[in-house]
Amino acid sequence: MRKIRKIRLIMIIAFFIFNVIFALVLAPFIIFWGSFEALKTVAVGSILTSRHPQVVKAFLSDEQINEIVYKSNGTDSPSDTPIQRTVSDASVGITIEDIKGRAFKGKVMLIKNPKRIKIAVTKELGVAGERVSGLVKDAGAIAGINGGAFYDPNGTGNGAFPDGITVHNGEIVHNNAGNLSTDIVAFDKDGKLIVGHITADDVKKKNIQEAVSFWPALIQDGKRGMFRDEEWGVAPRTAIGQKADGMIILVVIDGRQLTSLGAKMSDLYNLFMEYGAVNAANLDGGSSTELFYNGKVINKLWNWAGERYLPTAIVVMPE
């Protein structure tokens, strides 16, 4: 009797394992070739902007990918479908708005004084990154978003190394670009947002006080940046911009969720145009996308494990 029960148990376990493996093998075909359009859009946007975009290209042609990318909200010109904006919090010098587009939801934080913006860098630079919440608290700030690019030379995934040029209080704290031109998101001594390309020598020449590296520039001196939606897909986004009067615009867009698929670069461009930005740039997005304010994360993180460990954050200091 025990032998029969043991055989049945083994058969049940084997049946379960077979079905799990079968489902995993079948899943990509259902996602990419099935009729679930929302699921397909989320998958394409997520994978296309990940480290393994070849997975999408194994199932879909370039034409099909481009069709999916352009299907969701956004064009290369100002949108004829205005973003819904609702003030959710307003305090001295800071306003937070909930935003909603055709295919995404997110938050916008408006900061009146641009000199309140600083770069926070992990206290264990080259060893381990920190969560945005930790970077905000360490800096004595009241709010923050995830910052610039980072790389992972040892495959540990702990966010220890910022990529490109990182500047804090007028000093280069990390530089793996040498004196090559690199993408930058920076603030000079007057609180002006600078986007585009600079070299390490330009940091002193242009009086840059705070900077991280990321791309693309969305708006540069009032003109549309050079970007193509098909190269970036649809994903959670973090971005920063500035109006002519100096006001800073921090944007986080939730993504890879059925309630918010994410945004294309043209969505961000349209959004900043609607807010009147004269300079704006994309920042690290995806599973890094986060807005931390008054002791809590106020957007909907995509990363199931919670806050990601990162080397830098852009923080808002007290007035």
Side-chain angles (χ1 to χ4, degrees):
M1 184 65 69
R2 289 182 180 177
K3 187 175 181 180
I4 294 174
R5 288 179 180 175
K6 186 176 181 180
I7 291 172
R8 285 179 177 174
L9 180 60
I10 292 173
M11 290 178 65
I12 291 171
I13 294 173
F15 178 77
F16 176 76
I17 293 174
F18 171 80
N19 278 278
V20 169
I21 294 172
F22 182 74
L24 291 173
V25 171
L26 195 61
F29 296 94
I30 295 174
I31 292 171
F32 295 118
W33 293 351
S35 58
F36 305 100
E37 293 301 321
L39 181 60
K40 187 188 299 183
T41 302
V42 171
V44 170
S46 300
I47 300 171
L48 199 63
T49 53
S50 72
R51 296 181 183 180
H52 306 287
Q54 65 275 12
V55 174
V56 174
K57 295 181 180 182
F59 289 89
L60 300 173
S61 67
D62 289 341
E63 291 76 14
Q64 289 172 313
I65 292 172
N66 289 340
E67 182 183 352
I68 291 170
V69 167
Y70 280 102
K71 189 180 294 180
S72 55
N73 184 45
T75 63
D76 287 345
S77 59
S79 176
D80 57 2
T81 306
I83 302 296
Q84 295 179 31
R85 298 163 53 178
T86 306
V87 175
S88 58
D89 191 8
S91 58
V92 179
I94 291 179
T95 301
I96 299 175
E97 296 183 355
D98 294 310
I99 56 171
K100 184 178 181 181
R102 189 181 305 167
F104 62 80
K105 296 179 181 178
K107 299 276 187 181
V108 170
M109 177 178 281
L110 304 170
I111 302 99
K112 189 173 182 180
N113 181 3
K115 292 187 177 181
R116 296 176 69 179
I117 303 298
K118 297 287 183 181
I119 300 301
V121 182
T122 174
K123 57 181 177 290
E124 295 188 86
L125 187 64
V127 178
E130 294 184 63
R131 298 180 173 117
V132 172
S133 58
L135 290 163
V136 168
K137 292 173 184 176
D138 289 348
I142 62 172
I145 57 174
N146 53 292
F150 58 97
Y151 65 103
D152 187 15
N154 301 314
T156 55
N158 65 353
F161 296 91
D163 203 8
I165 297 174
T166 305
V167 181
H168 179 52
N169 289 333
E171 300 295 330
I172 296 176
V173 296
H174 191 271
N175 176 15
N176 66 314
N179 203 43
L180 297 175
S181 177
T182 187
D183 295 276
I184 203 75
V185 180
F187 286 89
D188 67 13
K189 65 180 181 63
D190 297 318
K192 180 183 178 182
L193 176 64
I194 299 170
V195 300
H197 292 83
I198 67 164
T199 66
D201 287 344
D202 292 328
V203 171
K204 294 297 183 184
K205 292 177 183 177
K206 297 185 177 183
N207 289 313
I208 289 175
Q209 298 299 301
E210 309 287 331
V212 293
S213 291
F214 215 80
W215 67 97
L218 299 165
I219 304 172
Q220 189 171 13
D221 297 325
K223 298 179 180 179
R224 183 187 184 279
M226 300 294 292
F227 59 84
R228 297 173 58 196
D229 278 338
E230 60 265 34
E231 295 177 352
W232 291 90
V234 178
R237 303 289 184 201
T238 304
I240 186 170
Q242 186 176 44
K243 299 174 66 171
D245 63 5
M247 178 175 283
I248 298 300
I249 310 161
L250 302 182
V251 174
V252 291
I253 302 291
D254 298 333
R256 298 174 185 168
Q257 304 161 23
L258 293 180
T259 55
S260 181
L261 301 181
K264 304 192 298 292
M265 286 302 147
S266 57
D267 290 323
L268 288 179
Y269 169 75
N270 290 338
L271 179 62
F272 280 114
M273 289 291 288
E274 191 164 312
Y275 274 90
V278 293
N279 286 294
N282 180 53
L283 291 165
D284 182 28
S287 57
S288 300
T289 296
E290 179 179 348
L291 175 56
F292 187 84
Y293 176 58
N294 273 349
K296 62 182 180 180
V297 178
I298 64 171
N299 69 305
K300 190 173 181 180
L301 299 178
W302 175 75
N303 193 349
W304 63 268
E307 295 180 80
R308 196 174 186 183
Y309 285 88
L310 306 168
T312 59
I314 296 176
V315 300
V316 183
M317 302 303 292
E319 191 71 79

